[in-house]
Amino acid sequence: MFQDMTQHEHSDGAALPSSPSGAGIAALLVAKGVLTPAALARARTVSAETRERLDLVLTRLGLVSEADLVETYAEAFGLDRATLADAPSAPLLTAELPERFLRHARLLPIAESRDGVVLAMAHPDDEFSLRAVRAKLRRPVFRRVAAPSDVERMLDLLYAPAPSADDRGVAADSQHQAEDAERLRDLASDAPVIRLVNRWLVQAVEAGASDIHIEPGADSVRLRMRLDGVLQEIEQAPRALHAAIVSRIKIMARLDVAERRLPQDGRLGLAVRGRDVDVRVSIMPTVEGESVVLRILNREVVQLDFAALGFDGEPLRTFLSMLERPEGIILVTGPVGSGKTTTLYAAIERLRRPGIKIVTVEDPVEYRIAGITQSQVNPEIGFDFADALRSLLRHDLDVMMVGEIRDLETARIAVRSALIGRRVLSTLHTNDAVSSMTRLMDMGIEDYLLTATVIGVVAQRLVRRLCPACREPFTPSEECGRHLASAADAADEVVLYRAVGCPHCRGTGYRGRLALTEVLMMTEPLRRLIMRKPDADTLRRAAVDGGMTTLYQDGVRKVLGGLTTIEEVLRVARAD
């Protein structure tokens, strides 16, 4: 491990005189285009007022991500990086380097031998701490740069307190022993638990995760995050901390701390690195204890722009023409987590202008948009979608967004709204666009009302986007190339790209997601066919013959464009 010492590091671990200072790192961030001069000036003002390190201020204000900071430190100092995978199995050098010093200096010894000691450092330019460690250990010290959150995570894992009597009482949660609310609140207010939960939230937001899953097991608590639509295990916490972790989340979401037998749902808001983030909380009792899912709604990250979401080509042009119709129903379909609500918000954003009255009815309101009226249903007091829509019929509005059509009554009111000249946008749970028609008829909507009010349907799925920094081109087999070219009506000579993995994409080969879309626009031939009550397959063939691009065809277009892989497309869409 010590043979990979870089040329910028002396054998005794001292930095060369040319090593950049904290101000030099900031200048490098500006030179790379990661940080603007105006943002740097703002951070320097805050740093002077609070006496915090400049790099800490940059990340706390959300001006620079930890990933960009670590990359710049590594390049500037010629250092390798340390990650969670490099953490030792047990604390090292505890007698010489106490936990309090390690946390204050944000560093951690991750390996030692006769050749020296390797330090993971959040601030590799901290010469004072480096000299202190070298003087204490009296042997060579080699630096590795690590993200501050990774250093904190390693410290928390290595220096987790041994289970006390109170902790054992918490662990007895799985054995259904009663604990009163006050005791749970006391456990949840312990500083290590607060730091742990806060760190998980910050880590998820910075990584761009959409969900956090906290799952109890027999011996530990597993933390998983959904990154680019795929669940990844991040770390495990001691089982003894489970009840305290769940209680802490309940307190933050203003839920009943003492209730552990029934599901609970709530919401909390927090600021992470200067960004406002909403989190939806869902707690479900299981045989091992309460399982928690936190859905992250980062208003500053979501892009309400069709191109950024993955809409392009003929599907986008068709969808935009549907939005310009003065009345009628537009549906967005797909499974849970396929981006339906985000697409509706993008449509609202496009329609929003001073001369149009837009009202939404949602469960819950996920993103607040200035200039429109948003209402949230509350079934617990009898205020559901149907009640809200009946009230809105008396309002002088132009566009109505309904979070979801779940039953016949809601569907009938949406149809009635369209008949009296309103544009209605909503979601529906079906597998594809044409299935929405048969689904509404199965609900009880008459075929003549369906053909008179529905403008069109958008079905969508989300696939992972190839990382542009590391994607690798390759030529597929001749048979595969012909099939893909035929499916997308493209040239026979095709070049595909495969996922590789790099620091920009956390080694996955993918970075972000984009939508595959299938847009069905109601035409006169389709109206005549629907009046004959066809099955979904017959309707689908007619739609394709009429020019509809299927989910698979749209996916192949994006594969040929180097945006994703055929494996991702086949994961969410069937080949035609």
Side-chain angles (χ1 to χ4, degrees):
M1 181 169 191
F2 302 100
Q3 281 69 38
D4 64 349
M5 184 174 59
T6 67
Q7 62 180 345
H8 296 285
E9 193 94 41
H10 288 302
S11 60
D12 64 352
L16 290 173
S18 60
S19 296
S21 64
I25 293 294
L28 288 174
L29 290 167
V30 173
K32 292 171 63 176
V34 175
L35 183 67
T36 66
L40 175 58
R42 174 189 170 197
R44 281 176 171 157
T45 301
V46 174
S47 177
E49 293 175 351
T50 62
R51 297 186 179 180
E52 285 184 278
R53 287 180 54 98
L54 182 59
D55 53 0
L56 288 178
V57 172
L58 290 171
T59 55
R60 180 169 62 81
L61 295 179
L63 302 175
V64 173
S65 70
E66 282 193 345
D68 287 330
L69 189 64
V70 169
E71 181 181 352
T72 304
Y73 267 128
E75 293 174 356
F77 285 88
L79 297 176
D80 291 333
R81 305 176 191 179
T83 66
L84 282 177
D86 300 310
S89 57
L92 303 177
L93 305 169
T94 54
E96 296 89 348
L97 303 175
E99 177 189 358
R100 183 176 179 182
F101 167 75
L102 298 179
R103 289 190 181 276
H104 177 76
R106 291 178 179 246
L107 57 85
L108 177 73
I110 57 175
E112 65 167 330
S113 75
R114 289 177 300 178
D115 297 319
V117 176
V118 177
L119 289 182
M121 301 184 68
H123 311 297
D125 59 341
D126 184 358
E127 295 293 338
F128 175 82
S129 296
L130 193 64
R131 286 196 300 269
V133 172
R134 193 182 306 118
K136 185 67 176 178
L137 300 181
R138 297 184 179 277
R139 48 180 159 162
V141 175
F142 308 111
R143 294 171 294 175
R144 299 289 182 268
V145 59
S149 62
D150 281 350
V151 174
E152 291 178 10
R153 192 175 314 120
M154 287 189 278
L155 287 168
D156 287 343
L157 291 174
L158 293 172
Y159 290 90
S164 63
D166 280 345
D167 294 327
R168 287 190 290 273
V170 174
D173 170 55
S174 62
Q175 303 172 11
H176 310 290
Q177 295 183 358
E179 294 174 298
D180 63 356
E182 287 303 319
R183 187 180 183 207
L184 288 172
R185 289 182 184 275
D186 289 342
L187 290 169
S189 64
D190 285 346
V193 174
I194 294 175
R195 284 201 305 267
L196 181 64
V197 173
N198 288 347
R199 177 167 58 75
W200 284 355
L201 290 167
V202 170
Q203 179 186 358
V205 172
E206 291 193 335
S210 59
D211 302 273
I212 303 173
H213 295 249
I214 302 171
E215 302 163 329
D219 303 316
S220 63
V221 180
R222 181 171 64 168
L223 172 71
R224 295 197 291 172
M225 295 183 186
R226 191 175 295 279
L227 300 168
D228 295 332
V230 178
L231 274 176
Q232 298 182 23
E233 183 168 340
I234 305 301
E235 66 177 271
Q236 294 187 358
R239 168 67 195 192
L241 295 179
H242 171 252
I245 291 170
V246 176
S247 297
R248 174 59 185 167
I249 293 171
K250 287 180 179 178
I251 290 171
M252 296 174 71
R254 295 181 174 84
L255 299 176
D256 185 351
V257 176
E259 179 55 72
R260 292 177 295 150
R261 300 166 300 173
L262 299 174
Q264 296 191 70
D265 294 310
R267 190 168 188 151
L268 62 93
L270 66 155
V272 177
R273 311 299 187 196
R275 291 175 286 179
D276 291 328
V277 178
D278 285 338
V279 180
R280 288 169 59 181
V281 180
S282 179
I283 300 177
M284 172 67 70
T286 72
V287 294
E288 295 290 353
E290 290 176 293
S291 177
V292 182
V293 176
L294 307 176
R295 184 179 182 190
I296 299 171
L297 306 172
N298 194 339
R299 296 191 297 268
E300 297 187 15
V301 171
V302 66
Q303 294 178 290
L304 302 181
D305 174 77
F306 288 120
L309 296 177
F311 286 72
D312 61 6
E314 189 59 32
L316 176 58
R317 287 189 289 272
T318 303
F319 189 26
L320 294 180
S321 68
M322 288 160 47
L323 288 176
E324 295 305 317
R325 294 280 294 273
E327 72 279 322
I329 300 174
I330 298 175
L331 298 171
V332 181
T333 75
V336 175
S338 60
K340 300 185 299 297
T341 302
T342 303
T343 296
L344 286 183
Y345 277 114
I348 290 295
E349 184 67 24
R350 185 173 184 87
L351 294 173
R352 183 169 62 101
R353 56 183 70 103
I356 292 181
K357 170 79 170 183
I358 302 175
V359 180
T360 74
V361 181
E362 306 171 60
D363 181 23
V365 174
E366 295 193 1
Y367 301 106
R368 291 174 173 84
I369 301 178
I372 70 173
T373 302
Q374 295 175 271
S375 178
Q376 181 167 310
V377 301
N378 188 352
E380 293 183 0
I381 61 173
F383 182 59
D384 56 18
F385 279 115
D387 294 320
L389 293 179
R390 277 193 295 269
S391 176
L392 288 180
L393 287 176
R394 298 185 290 272
H395 284 239
D396 182 20
L397 56 89
D398 301 291
V399 179
M400 174 193 301
M401 187 189 104
V402 184
E404 182 183 348
I405 294 179
R406 299 175 177 173
D407 50 44
L408 176 59
E409 187 174 10
T410 304
R412 287 192 183 281
I413 298 174
V415 167
R416 181 180 172 188
S417 299
L419 287 173
I420 60 177
R422 277 80 178 265
R423 271 176 285 187
V424 180
L425 310 179
S426 188
T427 68
L428 191 67
H429 283 288
T430 59
N431 290 328
D432 53 29
V434 297
S435 296
S436 299
M437 304 299 178
T438 55
R439 171 71 177 134
L440 290 173
M441 287 190 286
D442 289 342
M443 277 186 179
I445 298 297
E446 293 80 358
D447 49 15
Y448 65 91
L449 290 176
L450 190 65
T451 57
T453 57
V454 174
I455 301 172
V457 185
V458 178
Q460 67 180 62
R461 300 290 191 277
L462 293 181
V463 295
R464 292 183 291 175
R465 188 189 297 265
L466 275 169
C467 175
C470 65
R471 65 178 186 172
E472 181 180 85
F474 73 98
T475 302
S477 66
E478 183 177 348
E479 181 180 358
C480 177
R482 282 199 306 269
H483 168 74
L484 295 179
S486 174
D489 194 21
D492 291 335
E493 292 291 331
V494 300
V495 175
L496 305 184
Y497 290 82
R498 61 167 61 98
V500 178
C502 69
H504 294 280
C505 58
R506 304 180 301 277
T508 65
Y510 299 94
R511 191 176 185 182
R513 289 190 287 176
L514 74 159
L516 307 186
T517 58
E518 155 177 301
V519 182
L520 171 67
M521 188 169 186
M522 186 67 74
T523 62
E524 193 57 40
L526 285 179
R527 289 190 179 94
R528 291 195 297 267
L529 181 59
I530 290 172
M531 295 294 287
R532 298 201 295 269
K533 295 182 174 57
D535 58 37
D537 288 339
T538 301
L539 192 57
R540 179 179 180 82
R541 286 194 296 270
V544 171
D545 292 342
M548 182 184 77
T549 300
T550 66
L551 286 167
Y552 178 73
Q553 290 171 331
D554 190 47
V556 170
R557 283 197 311 108
K558 286 162 181 171
V559 168
L560 297 179
L563 299 177
T564 189
T565 62
I566 190 63
E567 291 82 6
E568 279 293 295
V569 173
L570 292 175
R571 181 173 62 87
V572 301
R574 66 182 185 184
D576 297 325

